[in-house]
mmCIF file of all heavy atoms in Angstrom:
data_model
loop_
_atom_site.group_PDB
_atom_site.id
_atom_site.type_symbol
_atom_site.label_atom_id
_atom_site.label_comp_id
_atom_site.label_asym_id
_atom_site.label_seq_id
_atom_site.Cartn_x
_atom_site.Cartn_y
_atom_site.Cartn_z
ATOM 1 N N PRO B 60 6.324 3.584 -2.941
ATOM 2 C CA PRO B 60 7.252 2.866 -2.058
ATOM 3 C C PRO B 60 6.965 3.088 -0.566
ATOM 4 O O PRO B 60 7.702 2.572 0.270
ATOM 5 C CB PRO B 60 8.609 3.464 -2.429
ATOM 6 C CG PRO B 60 8.303 4.829 -2.910
ATOM 7 C CD PRO B 60 6.963 4.750 -3.587
ATOM 8 N N SER B 82 19.353 -24.792 4.556
ATOM 9 C CA SER B 82 19.101 -26.205 4.825
ATOM 10 C C SER B 82 19.536 -27.115 3.666
ATOM 11 O O SER B 82 19.515 -28.314 3.801
ATOM 12 C CB SER B 82 17.634 -26.425 5.169
ATOM 13 O OG SER B 82 16.830 -25.962 4.108
ATOM 14 N N GLU B 133 27.697 0.283 -3.588
ATOM 15 C CA GLU B 133 26.778 1.140 -2.830
ATOM 16 C C GLU B 133 27.362 2.529 -2.651
ATOM 17 O O GLU B 133 26.672 3.537 -2.738
ATOM 18 C CB GLU B 133 26.505 0.534 -1.445
ATOM 19 C CG GLU B 133 25.796 -0.785 -1.481
ATOM 20 C CD GLU B 133 24.540 -0.739 -2.319
ATOM 21 O OE1 GLU B 133 23.612 -0.026 -1.944
ATOM 22 O OE2 GLU B 133 24.501 -1.407 -3.373
ATOM 23 N N THR B 213 33.160 35.015 -0.537
ATOM 24 C CA THR B 213 32.584 34.746 -1.855
ATOM 25 C C THR B 213 31.136 35.223 -1.909
ATOM 26 O O THR B 213 30.714 35.874 -2.852
ATOM 27 C CB THR B 213 32.621 33.234 -2.175
ATOM 28 O OG1 THR B 213 33.942 32.781 -1.977
ATOM 29 C CG2 THR B 213 32.191 32.961 -3.597
ATOM 30 N N LYS B 267 31.212 39.615 21.767
ATOM 31 C CA LYS B 267 30.830 39.022 23.044
ATOM 32 C C LYS B 267 31.942 38.093 23.548
ATOM 33 O O LYS B 267 32.320 38.135 24.717
ATOM 34 C CB LYS B 267 29.526 38.252 22.872
ATOM 35 C CG LYS B 267 28.968 37.730 24.173
ATOM 36 C CD LYS B 267 27.648 37.033 23.917
ATOM 37 C CE LYS B 267 27.122 36.419 25.216
ATOM 38 N NZ LYS B 267 26.018 35.505 24.966
#
Side-chain angles (χ1 to χ4, degrees):
Chain B
S82 58
E133 296 308 295
T213 308
K267 186 178 176 192

